[in-house]
Amino acid sequence: MHTFLAPSSMQLSVAPNQCQPLKIIALGDSLVYGFGDPEKGGWVEQLRRWWMLPDHAGHVLYNLGVRGDRTQQVAQRLEVEFRHRGELRNRVPDLIILSVGVNDSARLTRPNGKNYTDFAVFESEIASLLEQAQQLCPVLFVGMVPVDETKMPFLDCFYYNHLDQYRYKEATRIACKKRHIPYLDIFDQWMTRGEAWRCKRLSDDGLHPNTLGYQALLEDVINWDAMATYHTRFDFHRQSS
């Protein structure tokens, strides 16, 4: 497992000034990017706009989602993305929101093909990513959305399924729990709401949420206890003081 050592030039997150909004980065794959929602841009974009409303927190939220990214790719760009989001007196971000893993779980070429990222390798990579992020600032993790298995394969070569999704999200949840990182289990939440509910909230490709799906995801995130701390600047600083 790779260990992350902050270089001497790295500024670690410090207690934010009460006169300034928080700076937050959302880092991950297409679920962060918002692919599938041409109307509202996905849940991160909607959260960014929600925080900009009058009487809201006013946080600066950067969408750093890249379609197709796996855990390895997110880890490779984490440090650079973090260091280059300090426009206010060079102060680095106060919070990292991670969401990645579904692309690691895909089967290649056929339904029983190899996983895109071998499961044992994934366990090591997700642990390394979490530890790397934790050395920078507080971390939250938003889990993956269950796919529509009947629409597979995606792009004629990627086969996603619920069994593999469950294995990979459980490995992520356990890794987060070990490191006391709040984890929002979107997969389990959406599975309990039923197939008919899910199908109405997925795009035709069976992989990405549609506009209605991202709205549901936004509501899940906003109502998450771990996120509630950040909704108002007053509450955050009162608890940090």
Side-chain angles (χ1 to χ4, degrees):
M1 182 184 301
H2 297 291
T3 57
F4 176 78
L5 297 177
S8 58
S9 60
M10 171 73 79
Q11 281 186 288
L12 299 184
S13 187
V14 297
N17 187 307
Q18 293 192 20
C19 297
Q20 296 177 343
L22 302 181
K23 290 202 304 303
I24 299 170
I25 61 174
L27 196 69
D29 51 31
S30 57
L31 195 65
V32 170
Y33 178 77
F35 186 81
D37 184 6
E39 297 180 30
K40 298 182 178 180
W43 73 269
V44 175
E45 173 61 16
Q46 292 181 69
L47 180 60
R48 184 185 73 85
R49 296 181 183 183
W50 187 70
W51 274 337
M52 290 173 63
L53 291 172
D55 301 323
H56 280 63
H59 303 323
V60 178
L61 177 59
Y62 294 99
N63 185 326
L64 305 176
V66 175
R67 289 185 62 193
D69 260 13
R70 293 178 288 153
T71 302
Q72 181 185 56
Q73 284 73 49
V74 171
Q76 288 173 345
R77 60 189 177 90
L78 172 61
E79 177 185 342
V80 173
E81 299 278 24
F82 182 85
R83 292 178 64 186
H84 285 82
R85 295 307 183 285
E87 81 289 353
L88 298 177
R89 297 182 181 178
N90 295 319
R91 181 168 58 82
V92 293
D94 307 289
L95 176 69
I96 296 172
I97 302 173
L98 292 173
S99 184
V100 67
V102 65
N103 295 315
D104 295 277
S105 74
R107 298 273 178 172
L108 302 178
T109 309
R110 58 186 187 276
N112 63 343
K114 293 182 178 180
N115 291 110
Y116 201 178
T117 303
D118 177 79
F119 184 70
V121 173
F122 174 77
E123 288 183 303
S124 175
E125 290 181 345
I126 196 69
S128 179
L129 172 64
L130 296 176
E131 290 170 6
Q132 178 181 350
Q134 273 194 309
Q135 292 186 49
L136 303 176
C137 68
V139 181
L140 301 179
F141 202 108
V142 176
M144 66 181 73
V145 169
V147 303
D148 182 349
E149 294 178 316
T150 67
K151 299 291 182 66
M152 296 299 116
F154 177 70
L155 298 179
D156 296 324
C157 60
F158 296 102
Y159 290 82
Y160 296 84
N161 67 77
H162 292 162
L163 181 60
D164 282 325
Q165 280 194 284
Y166 182 83
R167 291 177 66 221
Y168 282 67
K169 78 90 180 172
E170 273 295 283
T172 305
R173 183 188 64 80
I174 292 170
C176 286
K177 184 177 181 180
K178 287 181 179 178
R179 294 161 179 83
H180 306 288
I181 294 174
Y183 177 85
L184 181 58
D185 198 335
I186 294 294
F187 183 89
D188 276 5
Q189 288 188 20
W190 281 37
M191 289 297 287
T192 61
R193 294 169 185 170
E195 183 178 1
W197 185 93
R198 293 195 306 275
C199 288
K200 291 180 180 179
R201 289 161 178 82
L202 291 174
S203 299
D204 290 339
D205 63 20
L207 178 60
H208 301 97
N210 55 25
T211 298
L212 188 61
Y214 278 112
Q215 178 64 39
L217 186 53
L218 172 68
E219 294 172 2
D220 291 333
V221 171
I222 287 178
N223 292 322
W224 183 22
D225 288 344
M227 182 63 76
T229 303
Y230 298 93
H231 288 333
T232 64
R233 189 160 49 238
F234 173 76
D235 286 345
F236 178 83
H237 291 301
R238 181 176 60 185
Q239 293 184 21
S240 298
S241 60

